[in-house]
Amino acid sequence: MAGKAGEYLACFDLLYKGFNAFPSDQGLPFDIIVERDGKLYRGQVKSVRRMYKYYARKDGHTAHSVYRFTTRHGTPRKSRIAELSATDFYAFVVLPKKIVAYMWVKDLVSKNTGKINQLVEFKDRDYPYQKDRMGRRIVGKYIQDFTEFKVPE
């Protein structure tokens, strides 16, 4: 149910931004289709309902909480790595905050394997991050920096 909610939220967000967007049919390797200037773009939608908490401390504070998305397809027993040619972009949806972040597949390819990264994590600008146990700042991408959908030229 969260997956369908994410698909419709991503379509709404794209429609609101001036694109033609609609859910795809069942059984396809992509969830939504976006049309702009006669070109079609296939999107895979991944949704989460909460943050993933790293390094929980005794005082209850979590030093590093992130939104964690997996790019694998299928059920947990039949999980498979996403194919590069199956989709053009990913829409990462945080359901409680109604945030949709977009990344093109070419930006998700691992330099080591040449395949799509199986795990994508985003920080949230509204979360009070503290330095880690070694006193270093927490590094990573903020989800709010990826909310614009830019069609590649």
Side-chain angles (χ1 to χ4, degrees):
M1 188 153 63
K4 278 291 177 202
E7 290 173 23
Y8 287 113
L9 185 59
C11 283
F12 168 79
D13 187 61
L14 289 162
L15 286 166
Y16 189 76
K17 291 176 178 176
F19 295 89
N20 292 321
F22 47 93
S24 68
D25 206 3
Q26 293 288 332
L28 295 173
F30 48 90
D31 297 320
I32 60 175
I33 299 170
V34 177
E35 185 272 334
R36 182 62 165 243
D37 298 328
K39 293 184 181 179
L40 296 178
Y41 302 97
R42 302 160 299 163
Q44 180 69 36
V45 179
K46 297 297 180 177
S47 304
V48 295
R49 294 183 188 182
R50 62 178 174 82
M51 289 184 112
Y52 180 83
K53 299 181 187 300
Y54 282 110
Y55 310 127
R57 299 193 309 219
K58 291 178 185 176
D59 63 3
H61 181 74
T62 305
H64 187 58
S65 293
V66 294
Y67 296 115
R68 177 182 263 191
F69 300 90
T70 179
T71 60
R72 287 180 167 257
H73 299 278
T75 62
R77 290 189 195 142
K78 295 183 180 181
S79 292
R80 61 189 192 276
I81 297 173
E83 295 292 326
L84 287 169
S85 61
T87 187
D88 299 311
F89 70 93
Y90 276 79
F92 300 105
V93 180
V94 179
L95 291 169
K97 295 184 88 173
K98 297 177 182 71
I99 296 173
V100 184
Y102 303 97
M103 290 186 79
W104 292 92
V105 167
K106 66 178 180 61
D107 298 324
L108 291 168
V109 175
S110 169
K111 294 175 186 166
N112 298 329
T113 65
K115 297 181 180 181
I116 296 174
N117 287 320
Q118 295 181 44
L119 186 67
V120 179
E121 295 180 334
F122 291 100
K123 297 189 306 181
D124 188 331
R125 289 200 186 282
D126 298 333
Y127 186 82
Y129 291 97
Q130 295 181 355
K131 294 184 177 180
D132 70 4
R133 293 178 184 180
M134 305 282 288
R136 298 173 297 205
R137 68 181 183 87
I138 305 298
V139 297
K141 303 178 283 281
Y142 285 103
I143 196 162
Q144 289 88 345
D145 294 340
F146 293 86
T147 57
E148 190 175 342
F149 186 75
K150 295 180 185 176
V151 175
E153 311 214 352

